[in-house]
Amino acid sequence: MTDKTKAVAVLTSGGDAPGMNAAIRSVVRMATHGGYRVIGFQRGYDGLMADDGIELEPRSVSNILQRGGTILKTARSIEFQADKGCAQAAQVLDAHGVGGLVVIGGDGSFRGAHALGRAWTGAIVGVPATIDNDISGTDETIGFDTALNTALEAIDRLRDTASAHERLFLVEVMGRHSGFIALAVGTAGGAEEILVPEVDTDLDACAARLVAAREKGKTMSIVVCAEGENQSGAFAVARELEQRTGFVPTVTVLGHIQRGGRPSARDRILATKLGAFAVTAIQRGSTDVMVGDVRGELVLSSLEKSAADKKGLDPFLLELIQVLAQ
Ligand code: F6P
């Protein structure tokens, strides 16, 4: 986009993730540095369709780098999925003279961005931000590191109590369709068992290992369970484990506590790099792509592909868990 009379628009969509504000700040400052006007649409695609935009300048994004949530608000828009929603959004963007749109969000937001590309001629670039880390095309998504550390702090605390009372704790972490948080926090927190949606759980084998560990002198155990592992939730898993082991698990559901909070340094840096690179991509004329950081290199990949491809969990870590839990 070489025409400096055009504006760059930005929105955040889907579940909030720590570091979204850092990404907004980077987009705004990089775009204004490049000579473009910037418009922020509020509440994701809902606000775009409703023409709820605000002019953003470098001072509008002061003092937000360290804040969780998103100053632009966010939403999971259902209406936008329809062709009518995309046509309406395209009209709003054209009316404001927008030439490039940055969508900060997860896979659902990227599917929306790809659909919008069929109704609008401007450049669309996605910035991956979700605590779930389930987007291919980037090693990590914005917000994952912070959520992981939030969950880890909670598990470290629970470990104290589990150890003091010699109990089995079952901790549910977020991840409706993915086990990235569960696998990472379970590894870092020394969990005995990690249950993720990507792997069929054999509860009989899991229970047998927990019993065997007790017999070998372990007095406490932590089982980390991803939200999406079992349709019926952590309490149902706990009941099944109780029937098989005789231990009464104490269940803790960490829930939305993992979504907010001040972003880690790592998330702020990732968000800053990806936000600025999204503007560079627009300037260079790329569209229907997302930005990512793969092995330390900033890369672009197809929005459609990244929303469709399932990113795999680290198989080495998955195997290692049972070795380390001896
Ligand atoms: O996508 C991020 C995420 O936190 C998932 O881990 C979780 O399943 C989902 O959002 C919860 O969404 P909501 O806040 O809309 O209930």
Side-chain angles (χ1 to χ4, degrees):
M1 186 170 92
T2 47
D3 182 355
K4 300 284 164 94
T5 62
K6 292 277 188 192
V8 169
V10 57
L11 59 82
T12 48
S13 162
D16 64 317
M20 278 185 160
N21 279 327
I24 295 168
R25 171 180 177 268
S26 184
V27 168
V28 171
R29 294 199 173 159
M30 187 71 176
T32 50
H33 174 76
Y36 301 102
R37 274 184 309 121
V38 184
I39 302 168
F41 286 96
Q42 314 205 70
R43 296 186 307 285
Y45 294 116
D46 282 347
L48 176 57
M49 289 182 295
D51 195 4
D52 188 2
I54 43 172
E55 293 277 336
L56 295 172
E57 26 171 272
R59 292 283 69 74
S60 324
V61 289
S62 296
N63 207 19
I64 65 166
L65 181 68
Q66 76 284 13
R67 284 166 49 193
T70 155
I71 59 161
L72 289 176
K73 314 288 182 205
T74 185
R76 298 189 196 275
S77 177
I78 302 199
E79 220 183 304
F80 183 70
Q81 307 294 339
D83 287 348
K84 217 171 132 207
C86 287
Q88 169 71 16
Q91 236 176 43
V92 171
L93 290 166
D94 286 338
H96 286 280
V98 174
L101 171 67
V102 179
V103 173
I104 303 171
D107 56 348
S109 309
F110 287 0
R111 275 190 288 277
H114 176 66
L116 178 60
R118 290 195 291 263
W120 185 57
T121 52
I124 305 175
V125 176
V127 172
T130 162
I131 64 165
D132 289 351
N133 194 31
D134 58 346
I135 297 183
S136 62
T138 189
D139 289 344
E140 266 184 28
T141 55
I142 297 164
F144 172 63
D145 183 61
T146 308
L148 169 59
N149 282 293
T150 303
L152 182 60
E153 195 189 327
I155 286 182
D156 285 348
R157 285 167 194 257
L158 293 172
R159 177 172 278 281
D160 290 346
T161 303
S163 164
H165 287 265
E166 304 186 309
R167 278 205 216 155
L168 165 62
F169 265 74
L170 193 143
V171 189
E172 184 188 284
V173 296
M174 270 193 161
R176 198 151 37 205
H177 306 292
S178 83
F180 280 93
I181 296 180
L183 181 59
V185 79
T187 305
E192 273 65 35
E193 299 285 332
I194 302 176
L195 315 181
V196 292
E198 289 85 347
V199 177
D200 283 338
T201 302
D202 180 346
L203 275 184
D204 289 328
C206 171
R209 284 190 298 267
L210 289 169
V211 171
R214 287 284 168 134
E215 284 164 0
K216 280 197 262 164
K218 272 209 172 192
T219 57
M220 56 146 288
S221 338
I222 302 223
V223 175
V224 172
C225 172
E227 183 189 358
E229 201 284 328
N230 184 306
Q231 292 304 321
S232 339
F235 289 92
V237 175
R239 276 195 299 277
E240 301 263 345
L241 282 180
E242 185 178 341
Q243 279 163 11
R244 290 167 169 82
T245 62
F247 312 140
V248 183
T250 304
V251 179
T252 304
V253 177
L254 296 185
H256 285 78
I257 201 128
Q258 297 155 96
R259 283 252 291 269
R262 69 190 265 280
S264 65
R266 185 159 155 165
D267 273 330
R268 294 183 205 188
I269 294 165
L270 179 65
T272 301
K273 283 165 81 173
L274 294 185
F277 189 52
V279 175
T280 304
I282 286 175
Q283 276 174 309
R284 289 182 186 159
S286 302
T287 187
D288 203 19
V289 289
M290 65 160 256
V291 291
D293 185 332
V294 177
R295 295 193 190 91
E297 247 184 77
L298 293 174
V299 294
L300 298 177
S301 51
S302 143
L303 264 185
E304 191 180 21
K305 194 168 173 319
S306 57
D309 281 1
K310 182 92 180 129
K311 182 156 123 183
L313 295 176
D314 181 342
F316 181 60
L317 263 191
L318 274 173
E319 277 190 27
L320 202 54
I321 298 308
Q322 276 153 30
V323 177
L324 299 179
Q326 286 176 77

